[in-house]
DNA sequence: TTGATAAAACTAATATCATTAGTTAAAATA
DNA sequence: TATTTTAACTAATGATATTAGTTTTATCAA
């Protein structure tokens, strides 16, 4: 490919390639060299689109958070209460299952504190708050509940992905039991 | 340092240096180059002790899991029930707080499936099972409970470390509420 | 339409890694 | 005391990210 081709790559095409690479080979294989090879260009050319490897990974994290949010939001349409809670929970872990590399990228963001990363993650928090709202947890207790839910979902997904759950025990059943136990425990008191 | 010095480095000294480096600078800074520099030797010399960078990181993971287990086990001595559960839970998150890099290493093990990594992690699971035993969860429900507890502890620690919890809400209070809610919810049914 | 600008690729070069091969000197052992 | 093993070393290789500077072409303004 010569300088300034007719159809140039755009950020989204590159992120998609990086995402597929991540899902297929793991986040550690998302290098400028590999991404460039998959796109048929040379590594330095990627600097025209991203601020180096760190920038690419940061964008991949935002890309992943956005997609994760969308799937969670979709799953919660038209349902409420326990159904909604289970819906967004399974949407969350299913996303991590289908896109292990991209999910991993959402955690590895070089600068987690970057404005864009934060706001992409905040939408997921807001959605969770809304779903938990129907349980009528008052004040701080609702916020603690969101922390708990996030902890469960991230911890569960992460451990499942890392092969942490070895027992021959259905994973979806585990998740449902865990979520229900947690929310029932939060409702009391 | 010349060939075959009077006092040679041993694995533990190297792991300690790697651990400090990880806690101070992050796991991504645990490179053979950096570890060697901190020890005053040349990178290739590390191959006399570990199977490359992957081997070093794997050993660091086992080192971390062992230390984590020890602190959890210590915290549970002489207590039972809710007290024991909260004790091991706070021991877990406090370990992650005090040793963020080493904790991170326990998850990044290049081959999580390696025998030694598995067995080091299994001890923590066994300890959790023992602590949860007093709640008289029958059969599979006890196993689901262990998965839930691990998910909460790992998810909470990981999110706290990554700066995921932004609200001005006491973290220890969150943890206690979450754990209690979960275990209370598990007891019912 | 044409000329200037900007974009998006490129090549070349540098620095930092991990890793391998082979070497050396001193400790450990027989 | 002679041999072996150990734990450091140097040197070299290959992969990586990154920077600098170049080139071609699309885009845009006059």
């Amino acid at each position: 490919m010569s300088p300034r081709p007719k159809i140039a790559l755009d950020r989204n095409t590159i992120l998609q390639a990086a995402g597929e690479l991540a899902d297929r080979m793991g986040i550690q294989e998302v290098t400028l060299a590999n991404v460039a090879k998959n796109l048929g260009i040379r590594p330095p050319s990627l600097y025209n689109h991203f601020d180096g490897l760190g920038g690419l990974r940061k964008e991949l994290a935002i890309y992943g958070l956005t997609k994760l949010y969308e799937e969670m939001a979709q799953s919660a349409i038209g349902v409420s209460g326990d159904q909604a809670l289970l819906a967004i929970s399974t949407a969350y872990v299913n996303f991590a299952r289908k896109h292990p590399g991209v999910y991993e990228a959402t955690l590895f963001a070089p600068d987690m504190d970057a404005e864009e990363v934060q706001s992409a993650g905040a939408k997921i928090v807001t959605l969770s708050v809304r779903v938990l709202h129907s349980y009528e947890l008052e004040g701080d207790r609702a916020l603690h509940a969101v922390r708990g839910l996030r902890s469960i979902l991230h911890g569960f997904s992460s451990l499942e992905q890392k092969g942490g759950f070895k027992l021959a025990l259905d994973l979806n059943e585990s998740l449902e039991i865990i979520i229900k136990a947690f929310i029932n425990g939060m409702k009391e008191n």
Side-chain angles (χ1 to χ4, degrees), chain A:
Chain A
M1 213 176 286
S2 288
R4 196 71 213 245
K6 290 181 196 293
I7 40 118
L9 294 168
D10 65 332
R11 290 164 78 88
N12 226 285
T13 304
I14 299 173
L15 286 176
Q16 209 168 315
E20 282 167 15
L21 192 56
D23 290 338
R24 199 152 31 84
M25 314 281 279
I27 186 70
Q28 76 286 351
E29 292 298 316
V30 178
T31 62
L32 294 185
N34 279 336
V35 172
K37 187 179 296 178
N38 278 21
L39 292 168
I41 61 174
R42 303 287 180 168
S45 303
L46 290 168
Y47 283 79
N48 289 318
H49 303 279
F50 298 97
D51 186 13
L53 179 62
L56 173 60
R57 290 203 172 147
K58 179 181 124 187
E59 295 298 330
L60 187 58
I62 297 167
Y63 171 86
L65 286 170
T66 305
K67 282 197 165 290
L68 171 57
Y69 166 76
E70 284 168 1
E71 297 204 1
M72 289 175 74
Q74 274 293 323
S75 78
I77 292 176
V79 289
S80 65
D82 281 2
Q83 266 197 341
L85 182 58
L86 282 175
I88 64 170
S89 297
T90 56
Y92 188 107
V93 305
N94 280 334
F95 180 85
R97 287 166 178 163
K98 280 187 64 175
H99 305 291
V102 173
Y103 178 71
E104 220 177 345
T106 64
L107 310 165
F108 271 177
D111 49 348
M112 212 62 182
D113 295 332
E115 174 63 32
E116 302 158 282
V117 181
Q118 282 297 321
S119 74
K123 293 177 74 173
I124 295 173
V125 174
T126 303
L127 176 63
S128 305
V129 170
R130 219 159 46 227
V131 168
L132 287 176
H133 195 257
S134 69
Y135 292 98
E136 291 172 1
L137 302 166
E138 73 273 10
D140 282 356
R141 198 161 174 85
L143 304 178
H144 291 301
V146 174
R147 285 185 172 173
L149 178 60
R150 290 183 67 199
S151 297
I152 290 171
L153 294 179
H154 169 47
F156 189 92
S157 297
S158 185
L159 289 171
E160 178 181 352
Q161 189 173 120
K162 303 276 185 193
F165 297 138
K166 286 297 177 192
L167 277 50
L169 199 61
D170 187 79
L171 284 161
N172 291 321
E173 199 179 329
S174 278
L175 181 65
E176 183 168 342
I177 290 173
I178 293 165
I179 293 288
K180 281 186 174 169
F182 173 67
I183 198 62
N184 282 334
M186 286 300 297
K187 276 191 285 193
E188 298 174 13
N189 185 1

